[in-house]
Amino acid sequence: MVKFLKQGKVVIVLTGRYAGKKAVILRNHDDGTSARPYGHATIVGLKKEPRKVIKRSSQKKQAKRSSVKTFIKTLNYTHLMPTRYTMDVDFKSTITPDCYDNSTKKVEANKEAKKLLEEKFKTGKNRWFFSKLRF
């Protein structure tokens, strides 16, 4: 079988708290691990998408509206829907496997992911990833 859920692939979360939200695959485990004996992936997603910015509004308001909120989760493949899009953001240095267990490390990793995704948003590329899903 062809492995199409690879690192950098944009997916949509189907179940749970973040259902309908877009995310990027960080690490994929096709054969599973001892703790999770099924195919799963670690994802970083957008909890809150950036909103429309108007030029005449103040700098403070523009900064607030262009900010994003992120989440980090490990999900079963059955709860992810792949899209045709890919995104090349390097989360390897910021998000390590030991940050999933420790809550303080997870908060720090979330902040780093937020910074990286906001930088990506400001470049103007991957516009579809930063738009809200309408369904």
Side-chain angles (χ1 to χ4, degrees), residues 48-120:
K48 187 190 89 167
E49 294 85 3
R51 299 195 332 227
K52 192 174 177 181
V53 175
I54 302 167
K55 271 188 177 179
R56 68 173 178 246
S57 58
S58 66
Q59 291 290 350
K60 183 180 175 185
K61 192 167 191 175
Q62 284 182 9
K64 189 164 179 72
R65 289 180 77 87
S66 63
S67 69
V68 298
K69 286 190 176 183
T70 58
F71 64 89
I72 301 170
K73 279 189 88 59
T74 303
L75 284 177
N76 191 332
Y77 281 161
T78 57
H79 304 307
L80 300 174
M81 185 173 80
T83 63
R84 64 181 180 177
Y85 300 101
T86 57
M87 196 169 166
D88 53 337
V89 180
D90 186 31
F91 292 110
K92 287 258 185 201
S93 59
T94 58
I95 301 168
T96 55
D98 64 319
C99 77
Y100 312 128
D101 304 327
N102 192 341
S103 62
T104 56
K105 286 185 182 179
K106 191 170 184 177
V107 169
E108 290 301 316
N110 225 340
K111 287 179 184 175
E112 290 297 319
K114 177 183 165 136
K115 283 181 192 172
L116 287 171
L117 286 176
E118 280 182 352
E119 286 173 16
K120 197 71 165 170

Side-chain angles (χ1 to χ4, degrees), residues 11-29:
V11 294
I12 297 173
V13 179
L14 297 176
T15 58
R17 180 179 182 180
Y18 302 113
K21 300 293 184 182
K22 296 175 193 166
V24 180
I25 294 179
L26 287 180
R27 273 184 202 84
N28 54 338
H29 305 280

